Amino acid sequence: MQKLLLGLFFILPLFTYSQYNISGVVLDENSGEPVIGATVELQKTEKIAVTDLDGKFSFSGLPQAEYTLIISSLGYGTRTVKFSLPGEETFEILLSPTAIEIEEVIVSTPFHQLQSDNVMKVERATVEDLNRTGALNLSEGISKIAGVETITTGSGIGKPVIRGLSSNRVLVYTQGVRLENQQFGDEHGLGVSSSGVESVEVIKGPASLLYGSDALGGVLYLNPEKFAPVDSTQIDLAGNYYSNTLGYEANAGIKTSGENLKFLVRGNYAAHSDYETGNGNRVTNTRYDEWDLKTGLGFRTTGYSGDLRYNLNSSRTGIPEEIGIQSTSKDLQEPYQQVENHILSLDNTFFLNNATLDVKLGYSFNDRKEFEEEHEEELEEDHEGETEEEHAAHEEGEAALEMHLETLNYDVKYNFPRYGKFETIIGLQGMHQTNRNFGEEFLIPDATTTDFGILATSHYHLEKVDFQAGLRYDHRNIDSKAMGEIGSEDFRSSLERSFNSYNGAVGMKVDLTRQLSSRLNLATGFRAPNLAELTSRGSHHGTNRYEIGNPDLENEQNYQLDLALEYRNVHFEVFTNAFYNKVSNYIFLSPTGEIIDENAVFEYVQDDAELYGGEAGFHLHPHPLDWLHIESSYELVIGKKENGEYLPLIPAQSVLNTFRTEFKDNGWLNEAFALVSLKTVFDQNNPGNFETSTPGYSLLNAGVGNTFYWNSTALELRISGNNLLDKTYISHLSRLKPDGIANMGRNIIFSTRLRF
């Protein structure tokens, strides 16, 4: 397979293609006047044009293929136009005036539709919008999206939760490839910086049809920043200061593009002290720092488009255990974890006579180390008889645990030529992964994991109805080595297991009226048990548990029904989204009542479960007061096992109300905004086994910002604040909750950005 993909990469760009030119005009549907400055994007080629004073645009040097034009302009509804070459080469495009914000293309779904055209309901938010709310990091930012929450360990570690499902049940994609960074652990964070990420897309519900195992609960899809427009160079410098953690962040990027070659590079550094709770205590050892480097090289020519990306993320994060010494130091103290994550990806698109072949190749390397405190007696015993050099090395600090995870993956999709109203895609996806241990301790054994999946999906478009359906087959093989001394408590015998699953999805979107639309989706998903669940045996110091794996675990399999209704007009939008999710063989930890090494013993078991609930909300933007926005959203998740007991780590009901204003170009107000939001979290009185109830709370947040222009230079200034009333509270999804440690108190963020 790898030789085949390599051959495709080198051979296909050598083919010759006929070249075509297209042109068009964009007009106001009501007045017939030209729309000046409209953005016209030719999907997949990343060619972008802006309409001139006559509303005209053009593209040249296009190969024979099928294309989609995406036309957007402030104050107008976004339009898509599909066409084939050879064929129609001139276009008259009418845009309807509207106060609804510009729609973006959804990348995480296979047919790249606007959300209003998409059969699946996908939530999308730009990182810029999330940052305006004062998010400390990407994990905190995504919790602003309805139906998405975060399991936190202090301020430096966060894991996404989609409708009550988390950890390996939520698949994260970045740079177009799946993120593999030992994400099974409770004390393992997302491992991705928001630096160099343009937007976030969330598929809420089973997405195994598109992505295979681990997408049982949903997908978090991170879109990297785009290259600069053709024949331009852009430079920006940014900095943030965080009052609560006395933290700072510096960011710089440069990108330049020619007609065929594009390049960008971005670096980011952040450092934070221990965070302070609402009652004035600093939570010892919640300090952390992070380096992040992202770079990209794009190449466009007739018949081929390539995008090569690399990301290095290096972080050191303290593991909090109690509220102890009060300090504002940023120097790490044990225990802490040090993680390096390398991601290399190559995204290729080949244009093949009205069809396209998309080939994504990815390589990732995750190096995870944990440094633990040792008692004086243990140090003397462990290092007895060492040479001076060996003793000096140990004095500097040695990782108690070190794991290397290497992952190779591929994703190949062939987009058939459109046949009437039908669009069809077939694809192959796979992964080869190795895990190796190098420290004195190990959580999971050395192992090799191999995945293979094949899928087919079709989209059928009518004037008011869209259908989408697909099928998929997956095979996963896990082969682990025996580790430890036979007869010892931490001995792991070798294990070889194979898992198979068939999955499908069918959905329909109906435009009941011009303003009212509905979506109905039924999908299945699966998740093969991970190495920790199959093979664990020992104390996990980050979670204060002694965990015992179960080598006989079976696939988790689920069926979810999702119903969505949405009404939109010039003044407001209203939506409601309900779901029911039945999960067979749900895997969870259950206490045995035993104590080993001063830690409570938990074992992995399975039971059937169900989750249900949904989201609802509205967005008011009264015309002609287009600068005014009033938004409200509500989310509810209930999770139960078959015996009626509630599932753990289910977020409480919450309501988020936001009042915001935006001024795009109004005198000295350029890209100006102001917002006030109140998030109300209700009591969580349905705790899971070994959990306790959590009282509710309300958090007041606010932000204001403006951009000042001098010729081609822009200066952005922004101030935002979270928990402005300095509320002392504990989130139900905080891993520090069992120790009675509160979440972060008031945090004021000062931000500046200079663009050239």
Side-chain angles (χ1 to χ4, degrees):
M1 176 58 69
Q2 293 177 353
K3 292 182 179 179
L4 172 62
L5 297 178
L6 197 61
L8 287 172
F9 175 67
F10 284 109
I11 295 173
L12 288 174
L14 302 179
F15 292 167
T16 59
Y17 294 84
S18 300
Q19 297 189 22
Y20 300 90
N21 303 325
I22 67 168
S23 61
V25 60
V26 180
L27 304 174
D28 184 298
E29 184 179 47
N30 295 340
S31 67
E33 295 294 319
V35 178
I36 302 170
T39 299
V40 184
E41 181 178 352
L42 195 61
Q43 191 178 329
K44 289 193 176 181
T45 67
E46 289 195 12
K47 288 178 176 285
I48 297 176
V50 177
T51 56
D52 60 18
L53 295 176
D54 297 318
K56 295 180 179 179
F57 67 91
S58 63
F59 294 101
S60 60
L62 303 179
Q64 177 178 338
E66 294 186 342
Y67 296 93
T68 299
L69 285 173
I70 304 162
I71 307 96
S72 59
S73 182
L74 186 63
Y76 293 90
T78 304
R79 280 277 316 273
T80 60
V81 176
K82 296 184 178 182
F83 66 96
S84 300
L85 290 177
E88 186 176 3
E89 297 182 12
T90 60
F91 303 89
E92 181 178 282
I93 300 166
L94 304 179
L95 295 186
S96 301
T98 180
I100 297 174
E101 296 174 342
I102 293 176
E103 284 190 274
E104 300 288 346
V105 174
I106 300 299
V107 178
S108 56
T109 53
F111 300 101
H112 291 196
Q113 305 284 342
L114 296 177
Q115 181 54 67
S116 58
D117 299 329
N118 211 341
V119 173
M120 297 178 64
K121 176 67 173 176
V122 180
E123 301 290 347
R124 184 185 186 278
T126 66
V127 169
E128 175 64 22
D129 287 341
L130 298 179
N131 288 339
R132 287 183 175 187
T133 66
L136 186 68
N137 48 44
L138 185 59
S139 295
E140 183 179 315
I142 62 176
S143 65
K144 312 294 182 182
I145 300 172
V148 183
E149 295 293 341
T150 306
I151 297 173
T152 61
T153 306
S155 56
I157 298 176
K159 302 175 74 67
V161 181
I162 299 179
R163 289 178 169 173
L165 297 177
S166 58
S167 193
N168 278 73
R169 298 181 181 95
V170 173
L171 184 59
V172 179
Y173 258 64
T174 181
Q175 298 176 196
V177 297
R178 59 186 292 154
L179 178 65
E180 293 289 325
N181 63 348
Q182 305 282 8
Q183 63 270 24
F184 62 86
D186 288 348
E187 73 282 10
H188 299 174
L190 187 60
V192 180
S193 169
S194 62
S195 171
V197 175
E198 181 181 89
S199 63
V200 178
E201 296 175 15
V202 180
I203 300 176
K204 295 183 288 189
S208 291
L209 169 65
L210 304 178
Y211 299 107
S213 180
D214 298 353
L216 176 136
V219 173
L220 182 65
Y221 200 98
L222 308 177
N223 294 312
E225 68 176 302
K226 295 180 180 179
F227 292 102
V230 174
D231 296 329
S232 69
T233 298
Q234 297 176 347
I235 302 173
D236 65 272
L237 307 170
N240 298 324
Y241 175 77
Y242 305 86
S243 68
N244 185 287
T245 62
L246 306 180
Y248 51 82
E249 184 173 14
N251 186 288
I254 181 171
K255 45 189 179 181
T256 184
S257 296
E259 181 65 34
N260 300 114
L261 197 63
K262 304 170 185 288
F263 174 78
L264 64 81
V265 61
R266 181 168 300 281
N268 192 85
Y269 176 71
H272 295 266
S273 303
D274 296 341
Y275 79 81
E276 188 176 64
T277 65
N279 57 22
N281 292 324
R282 290 199 177 272
V283 181
T284 308
N285 208 25
T286 53
R287 64 198 68 173
Y288 68 97
D289 58 41
E290 178 185 55
W291 288 94
D292 190 82
L293 173 69
K294 290 185 174 73
T295 186
L297 181 66
F299 182 70
R300 312 285 183 265
T301 186
T302 302
Y304 173 74
S305 173
D307 190 346
L308 178 67
R309 303 265 180 162
Y310 170 71
N311 178 209
L312 166 62
N313 184 271
S314 178
S315 65
R316 299 185 305 163
T317 308
I319 300 176
E321 296 178 323
E322 60 182 2
I323 294 181
I325 297 174
Q326 299 293 286
S327 170
T328 58
S329 172
K330 293 179 175 61
D331 294 331
L332 268 291
Q333 67 178 44
E334 296 176 341
Y336 71 91
Q337 59 176 301
Q338 178 177 311
V339 182
E340 276 194 7
N341 206 43
H342 302 258
I343 303 173
L344 180 66
S345 63
L346 178 60
D347 187 351
N348 306 277
T349 300
F350 303 99
F351 298 91
L352 309 170
N353 298 329
N354 292 333
T356 57
L357 178 66
D358 296 324
V359 180
K360 292 184 175 69
L361 306 173
Y363 168 77
S364 62
F365 176 75
N366 179 266
D367 180 3
R368 180 177 298 277
K369 299 177 182 178
E370 291 188 6
F371 298 83
E372 300 172 1
E373 296 175 300
E374 290 187 278
H375 297 295
E376 200 66 37
E377 299 82 2
E378 293 173 334
L379 283 170
E380 292 177 3
E381 183 179 334
D382 291 345
H383 307 319
E384 187 177 354
E386 290 182 336
T387 65
E388 258 185 52
E389 292 80 3
E390 290 172 332
H391 184 72
H394 281 114
E395 284 287 317
E396 292 178 5
E398 221 177 49
L401 181 146
E402 181 175 357
M403 296 187 292
H404 293 180
L405 185 73
E406 286 189 90
T407 307
L408 284 166
N409 53 47
Y410 59 88
D411 184 348
V412 181
K413 290 189 177 72
Y414 181 76
N415 299 261
F416 284 89
R418 277 192 293 269
Y419 181 75
K421 301 291 185 178
F422 271 104
E423 295 179 79
T424 299
I425 294 174
I426 61 170
L428 296 173
Q429 293 175 335
M431 177 180 77
H432 180 77
Q433 183 176 86
T434 58
N435 181 76
R436 297 291 180 266
N437 289 275
F438 294 89
E440 294 180 1
E441 299 179 7
F442 60 90
L443 296 178
I444 59 176
D446 294 352
T448 300
T449 302
T450 305
D451 271 2
F452 173 78
I454 183 170
L455 68 96
T457 181
S458 290
H459 181 271
Y460 183 66
H461 175 71
L462 297 173
E463 184 178 354
K464 294 185 178 182
V465 181
D466 287 87
F467 295 95
Q468 189 170 313
L471 292 171
R472 179 184 179 112
Y473 169 76
D474 281 277
H475 174 83
R476 168 171 286 193
N477 179 263
I478 298 177
D479 185 3
S480 72
K481 296 181 179 179
M483 295 190 70
E485 295 183 9
I486 297 177
S488 65
E489 283 187 352
D490 63 351
F491 174 71
R492 321 285 172 86
S493 59
S494 61
L495 173 75
E496 183 172 5
R497 291 285 307 277
S498 292
F499 302 92
N500 302 280
S501 184
Y502 291 92
N503 289 280
V506 59
M508 175 177 63
K509 175 183 175 291
V510 181
D511 294 327
L512 302 173
T513 69
R514 186 172 181 179
Q515 291 82 27
L516 180 64
S517 62
S518 66
R519 292 180 175 87
L520 179 64
N521 283 276
L522 175 63
T524 68
F526 88 105
R527 182 179 75 89
N530 60 47
L531 277 171
E533 294 163 338
L534 292 167
T535 64
S536 284
R537 179 169 288 275
S539 296
H540 286 225
H541 300 291
T543 57
N544 298 318
R545 290 194 298 251
Y546 189 98
E547 297 183 4
I548 300 177
N550 182 349
D552 298 320
L553 294 174
E554 298 296 333
N555 276 344
E556 289 183 332
Q557 188 78 43
N558 75 329
Y559 304 86
Q560 178 164 312
L561 180 66
D562 195 291
L563 174 64
L565 292 172
E566 183 176 6
Y567 179 85
R568 309 173 70 185
N569 68 16
V570 70
H571 299 293
F572 67 94
E573 303 163 52
V574 180
F575 73 90
T576 180
N577 197 355
F579 74 94
Y580 176 79
N581 189 4
K582 177 69 174 178
V583 185
S584 301
N585 297 322
Y586 184 88
I587 300 171
F588 60 97
L589 280 167
S590 178
T592 66
E594 301 174 88
I595 300 293
I596 299 179
D597 295 338
E598 300 181 352
N599 290 315
V601 177
F602 288 76
E603 62 181 358
Y604 284 99
V605 296
Q606 289 186 300
D607 195 359
D608 293 344
E610 61 179 3
L611 299 97
Y612 52 91
E615 306 85 39
F618 73 88
H619 177 191
L620 176 66
H621 41 75
H623 186 71
L625 305 179
D626 300 338
W627 50 269
L628 176 63
H629 301 266
I630 300 174
E631 302 170 323
S632 182
S633 63
Y634 165 78
E635 59 182 61
L636 164 69
V637 179
I638 296 175
K640 293 182 178 182
K641 290 183 283 187
E642 190 176 44
N643 62 8
E645 294 179 353
Y646 288 97
L647 295 175
L649 296 175
I650 298 297
Q653 300 178 62
S654 65
V655 175
L656 178 62
N657 296 303
T658 303
F659 176 92
R660 63 183 173 94
T661 61
E662 293 183 345
F663 298 94
K664 300 296 183 182
D665 186 6
N666 188 0
W668 61 275
L669 295 176
N670 298 286
E671 303 172 22
F673 75 94
L675 65 86
V676 177
S677 70
L678 180 68
K679 183 167 185 176
T680 301
V681 179
F682 296 87
D683 297 345
Q684 178 52 289
N685 292 322
N686 299 321
N689 194 11
F690 68 84
E691 284 186 329
T692 58
S693 298
T694 308
Y697 51 88
S698 293
L699 303 177
L700 180 66
N701 309 313
V704 62
N706 190 31
T707 303
F708 302 92
Y709 285 92
W710 292 273
N711 298 322
S712 59
T713 302
L715 174 64
E716 299 177 25
L717 298 176
R718 184 171 65 231
I719 301 175
S720 53
N722 285 339
N723 193 5
L724 291 176
L725 301 182
D726 212 17
K727 175 76 173 177
T728 301
Y729 73 99
I730 299 179
S731 167
H732 189 70
L733 298 184
S734 170
R735 282 193 54 257
L736 304 183
K737 176 178 178 285
D739 299 315
I741 298 176
N743 288 70
M744 185 179 292
R746 181 187 298 116
N747 188 28
I748 308 298
I749 304 171
F750 302 88
S751 304
T752 182
R753 184 184 181 201
L754 195 60
R755 302 189 317 232
F756 302 96

